[in-house]
């Protein structure tokens, strides 16, 4: 089962890396238009699934479903913006600090405990962010801020999903998100709409396809084996994304950038291990 889970997580990481590359490649389109097509592409999968399995699209926790979607749309827009300003590997690494923000927010909003070692892990991860900016003049300040704020809103997504709990089917949660993202992206892109041509259609629709399969296989991996064994593997996305960036976009990473990314991933991986530990420290 573990071998299968590892395969699923690698497929998921590669799908998300391709999604990131597609976003980077579609510079001629506004972020809002990219969000629109990213959402429409995924709805081609979520709506048929719900109809086929006779699952109500309206859901039960409607207020929380809308709130989760709003947080998710803001996070997505800001992350896509960050990719335009930062090397993809840096943007993805910073976005993955979302679980840290989720844990801290849960500490204040839900009164959940945080282990001492988790605080150490958080410090390591944020030290990595500091290395990215403090020692690399090539890192855009605005891009860094977009990525960090995106991670904060992604953390709020985690908190909201936790409140929804099992009251709604996971596909209903995703479907709400994609519908609201399509509406927001569509409306905000009206004034800057660029008519896609030729292969651009494939790239735009591919956003939703790779986004959906990335999420699908990540879910299957987490369902197939223990979370603490496979969850750290999702950070392979950073490696895949960096390799694509180096090969296709000729992105460059300084020594300090690599140290920063390494610290972020180290802090996040150990946070998962510590969080899954039964013994509070």
């Amino acid at each position: 089962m573990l071998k299968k889970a590892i395969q699923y997580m690698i497929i998921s990481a590669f799908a998300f890396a391709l999604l990131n590359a597609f976003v980077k490649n579609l510079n001629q389109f506004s972020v809002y238009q990219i969000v629109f097509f990213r959402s429409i592409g995924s709805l081609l999968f979520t709506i048929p699934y719900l109809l086929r399995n006779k699952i109500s699209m309206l859901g039960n926790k409607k207020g929380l479903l809308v709130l989760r979607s709003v947080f998710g749309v803001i996070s997505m827009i800001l992350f896509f913006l960050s990719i335009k300003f930062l090397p993809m590997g840096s943007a993805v690494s910073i976005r993955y600090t979302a679980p840290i923000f989720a844990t801290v927010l849960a500490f204040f909003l839900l009164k959940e405990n945080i282990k001492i070692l988790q605080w150490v892990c958080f410090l390591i991860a944020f030290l990595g962010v500091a290395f990215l900016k403090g020692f690399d003049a090539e890192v855009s300040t605005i891009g860094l801020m977009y990525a960090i704020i995106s991670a904060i809103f992604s953390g709020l997504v985690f908190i909201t999903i936790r409140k929804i709990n099992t009251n709604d089917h996971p596909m209903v949660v995703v479907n709400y998100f994609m519908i609201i993202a399509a509406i927001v992206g569509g409306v905000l892109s009206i004034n800057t709409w660029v008519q896609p041509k030729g292969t651009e259609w494939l790239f735009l629709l591919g956003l939703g396809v790779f986004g959906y399969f990335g999420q699908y296989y990540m879910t299957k991996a987490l369902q197939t084996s223990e979370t603490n064994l496979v969850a750290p593997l999702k950070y392979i996305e950073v490696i895949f994304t960096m390799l694509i960036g180096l090969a296709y976009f000729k992105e460059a990473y300084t020594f300090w950038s690599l140290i920063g990314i390494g610290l972020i991933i180290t802090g996040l991986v150990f946070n998962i291990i510590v969080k899954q530990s039964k013994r509070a420290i």
Side-chain angles (χ1 to χ4, degrees):
M1 294 293 279
L2 178 59
K3 182 179 178 182
K4 206 70 167 175
I6 291 173
Q7 290 173 348
Y8 289 149
M9 193 60 85
I10 290 174
I11 293 171
S12 169
F14 189 61
F16 279 130
L18 288 174
L19 167 63
N20 299 332
F22 278 24
V23 171
K24 187 83 170 181
N25 192 56
L26 293 165
N27 274 329
Q28 64 273 38
F29 299 96
S30 71
V31 167
Y32 304 121
Q33 194 169 345
I34 290 174
V35 167
F36 173 75
F37 278 100
R38 158 73 175 91
S39 309
I40 291 296
S42 290
L43 286 172
L44 296 176
F45 294 94
T46 59
I47 291 177
Y49 178 93
L50 294 173
L51 292 174
R52 185 171 63 251
N53 291 280
K54 295 182 172 60
I55 300 171
S56 172
M57 295 185 195
L58 296 177
N60 299 308
K61 298 285 186 176
K62 298 178 182 62
L64 287 173
L65 286 167
V66 171
L67 188 63
R68 176 262 181 266
S69 301
V70 171
F71 289 151
V73 171
I74 295 172
S75 178
M76 185 194 297
I77 290 172
L78 291 171
F79 174 62
F80 287 171
L81 279 170
S82 74
I83 288 180
K84 291 181 177 290
F85 290 91
L86 297 173
M88 292 191 297
S90 300
V92 172
S93 299
I94 297 169
R95 183 194 65 180
Y96 268 135
T97 59
I100 293 178
F101 289 113
T103 304
V104 174
L105 288 167
F107 175 76
F108 288 106
L109 299 178
L110 305 179
K111 309 303 179 185
E112 294 184 2
N113 293 325
I114 300 178
K115 300 176 183 179
I116 294 175
L117 276 183
Q118 282 184 274
W119 288 110
V120 176
C121 294
F122 299 165
L123 180 62
I124 293 172
F126 282 117
L127 186 62
V129 176
F131 266 68
L132 268 178
K133 179 55 187 169
F135 294 95
D136 190 348
E138 297 299 316
V139 172
S140 162
T141 300
I142 187 68
L144 187 72
M145 291 307 299
Y146 281 145
I148 291 174
I149 299 172
S150 170
I152 293 172
F153 274 96
S154 187
L156 288 169
V157 168
F158 294 160
I159 295 291
T160 313
I161 289 176
R162 198 175 304 170
K163 295 290 288 183
I164 294 172
N165 204 352
T166 56
N167 291 293
D168 282 294
H169 192 283
M171 198 62 75
V172 173
V173 179
V174 174
N175 195 61
Y176 254 83
F177 174 33
M178 291 297 102
I179 288 175
I180 291 179
I183 294 171
V184 172
V187 171
L188 293 180
S189 64
I190 290 174
N191 292 331
T192 57
W193 185 269
V194 175
Q195 187 61 29
K197 300 175 183 177
T199 56
E200 290 175 347
W201 283 106
L202 293 176
F203 279 103
L204 286 167
L205 293 175
L207 293 170
V209 174
F210 287 119
Y212 173 80
F213 280 104
Q215 190 70 46
Y216 174 76
Y217 279 104
M218 182 176 71
T219 302
K220 283 183 71 69
L222 294 173
Q223 289 175 336
T224 304
S225 186
E226 294 179 32
T227 302
N228 62 322
L229 295 177
V230 296
L233 291 173
K234 67 183 178 181
Y235 301 117
I236 295 174
E237 179 192 343
V238 176
I239 298 173
F240 285 148
T241 301
M242 288 177 68
L243 290 174
I244 293 172
L246 288 167
Y248 188 78
F249 297 104
K250 308 302 179 186
E251 293 181 337
Y253 293 89
T254 66
F255 171 77
W256 292 113
S257 290
L258 295 175
I259 292 294
I261 290 170
L263 285 171
I264 292 171
I265 295 175
T266 299
L268 295 173
V269 169
F270 277 105
N271 175 53
I272 292 174
I273 295 171
V274 172
K275 194 173 181 179
Q276 293 296 320
S277 174
K278 297 290 184 182
R279 184 169 63 88
I281 296 177

